[in-house]
Amino acid sequence: MTTIRQLAVESLTHLMAGGQERLAVDDDARSILRSWMLQSRRGGQLVETAAPATPEMSVEEKLALLRNRAEHWKPARRLGTLRDTMVFATGNPHARLMLVGEAPGFDEERLGEPFVGRAGQLLNKILTAMGLSREEVYISNVCKFRPDMGPEQGTANRPPTAEEIAACLPLILAEIRAIRPACIVCLGGSSAKALLSSDASVSSMRGRWLDCQGVPVRVTYHPSYLLRNEALSARRSVWEDMLAAMEKLGMPISERQKRYFLPS
């Protein structure tokens, strides 16, 4: 079983490989992290990194490199709590809007593409209402493997654990660096907590722009939440977040779009 120390060392190494030089932590945490890093170096510990791309590579080449690395991603593989099939991403590598969910489910694992089940179909409808198609945006997940629930799992799904998210986090951060979208929409709490390093709830993070690696981030509810909660207020909350993304992207917003899901 991977220890917290190993995950911390791996995460710090990934950040360094990606060019990050500073990390906001308090003095106690800094002391602990520094000692762990020094011990790993003295012990010759090998840490898997998300293969930093060179500036000369195209976005497509960077993503192909990441996809190949993700397929054999040791930090995730050795946990023993994730299934074998890797589901990477879909959409336009030059997209200005990036959507990030939590993990693939049964349908995603079967078809090898994120957001293709019922939640994905609802997401497609949301994009259409925005005036966008699935092919115009970039869609990915923080965790690249379907969380395992044992031999009798069937079509059941579960959200990824903090440990599973931490193991896959360097991959999605590398995707963001490769694509450099104009903005990101986090779909659900797992995605938001991972990219924003926060334990706050979706409701408390909604309604404002946050930041991940210099990219503006908007947090909203996962489409599966709307499948469970059909209240007009829930749909309006998600739509307001999408309107904010449209505004950030400089997209035209009609009076009709502004009124979607408002009480009549």
Side-chain angles (χ1 to χ4, degrees), residues 53 60 87 151 161 172 180 203 209 212 229 237 254:
E60 289 82 359
V87 180
T161 65
I172 190 65
R180 300 306 302 174
S203 59
W209 286 103
C212 177
N229 183 355
S237 293
S254 69

Side-chain angles (χ1 to χ4, degrees), residues 76-97:
R77 295 287 188 187
R78 69 173 175 234
L79 287 177
T81 61
L82 296 168
R83 292 169 62 90
D84 291 335
T85 301
M86 192 279 293
V87 180
F88 192 64
T90 190
N92 180 6
H94 299 280
R96 299 181 65 227
L97 173 61

Side-chain angles (χ1 to χ4, degrees), residues 15-63:
L15 292 172
M16 292 167 62
Q20 184 164 336
E21 297 179 351
R22 296 180 181 276
L23 187 66
V25 295
D26 61 31
D27 290 340
D28 290 340
R30 184 180 298 109
S31 176
I32 293 170
L33 292 174
R34 182 183 293 115
S35 68
W36 285 355
M37 288 294 288
L38 290 173
Q39 290 171 26
S40 70
R41 290 170 180 169
R42 284 197 296 268
Q45 179 179 334
L46 297 177
V47 178
E48 187 82 358
T49 61
T54 62
E56 298 79 16
M57 296 174 68
S58 68
V59 176
E60 289 82 359
E61 289 171 329
K62 291 175 183 177
L63 292 176

Side-chain angles (χ1 to χ4, degrees), residues 10 36 40 51 54 60 69 79 81 91-93 122 137 153 155 157 166 203-204 207 216 222 228 251 261-262:
E10 288 168 359
W36 285 355
S40 70
T54 62
E60 289 82 359
R69 202 61 185 269
L79 287 177
T81 61
N92 180 6
L122 181 53
V137 301
Q153 181 166 0
T155 60
N157 299 310
S203 59
S204 65
H222 195 281
R228 301 189 304 269
M251 295 174 61
F261 307 113
L262 285 176

Side-chain angles (χ1 to χ4, degrees), residues 3-239:
T3 66
I4 294 297
R5 187 173 97 173
Q6 287 173 315
L7 285 174
V9 169
E10 288 168 359
S11 297
L12 289 172
T13 304
H14 300 320
L15 292 172
M16 292 167 62
Q20 184 164 336
E21 297 179 351
R22 296 180 181 276
L23 187 66
V25 295
D26 61 31
D27 290 340
D28 290 340
R30 184 180 298 109
S31 176
I32 293 170
L33 292 174
R34 182 183 293 115
S35 68
W36 285 355
M37 288 294 288
L38 290 173
Q39 290 171 26
S40 70
R41 290 170 180 169
R42 284 197 296 268
Q45 179 179 334
L46 297 177
V47 178
E48 187 82 358
T49 61
T54 62
E56 298 79 16
M57 296 174 68
S58 68
V59 176
E60 289 82 359
E61 289 171 329
K62 291 175 183 177
L63 292 176
L65 180 68
L66 277 170
R67 180 185 289 270
N68 181 68
R69 202 61 185 269
E71 189 70 48
H72 309 285
W73 191 243
K74 292 179 182 177
R77 295 287 188 187
R78 69 173 175 234
L79 287 177
T81 61
L82 296 168
R83 292 169 62 90
D84 291 335
T85 301
M86 192 279 293
V87 180
F88 192 64
T90 190
N92 180 6
H94 299 280
R96 299 181 65 227
L97 173 61
M98 182 173 183
L99 303 165
V100 182
E102 57 181 30
F106 171 78
D107 292 304
E108 289 74 20
E109 182 184 60
R110 179 171 58 89
L111 297 175
E113 186 174 321
F115 284 94
V116 291
R118 290 181 64 214
Q121 293 166 15
L122 181 53
L123 178 60
N124 290 346
K125 292 179 180 179
I126 293 171
L127 291 172
T128 298
M130 296 171 69
L132 294 169
S133 69
R134 186 180 177 90
E135 292 71 30
E136 291 178 278
V137 301
Y138 187 88
I139 306 173
S140 192
N141 281 311
V142 170
C143 187
K144 302 302 184 187
F145 303 84
R146 182 184 174 201
D148 196 5
M149 297 176 67
E152 305 300 322
Q153 181 166 0
T155 60
N157 299 310
R158 67 167 174 83
T161 65
E163 188 177 36
E164 290 163 348
I165 289 173
C168 292
L169 183 59
L171 295 170
I172 190 65
L173 293 180
E175 282 179 84
I176 293 170
R177 289 194 297 271
I179 296 168
R180 300 306 302 174
C183 67
I184 296 169
V185 173
C186 283
L187 302 171
S190 295
S191 169
K193 291 175 182 179
L195 296 192
L196 301 171
S197 300
S198 172
D199 288 326
S201 65
V202 171
S203 59
S204 65
M205 286 189 278
R206 283 191 59 251
R208 55 199 169 100
W209 286 103
L210 302 166
D211 177 272
C212 177
Q213 300 188 131
V215 179
V217 175
R218 199 78 172 191
V219 176
T220 195
Y221 297 106
H222 195 281
S224 62
Y225 171 78
L226 297 183
L227 294 176
R228 301 189 304 269
N229 183 355
E230 296 184 358
L232 193 66
S233 58
R235 293 174 180 267
R236 179 62 191 183
S237 293
V238 172
W239 184 241

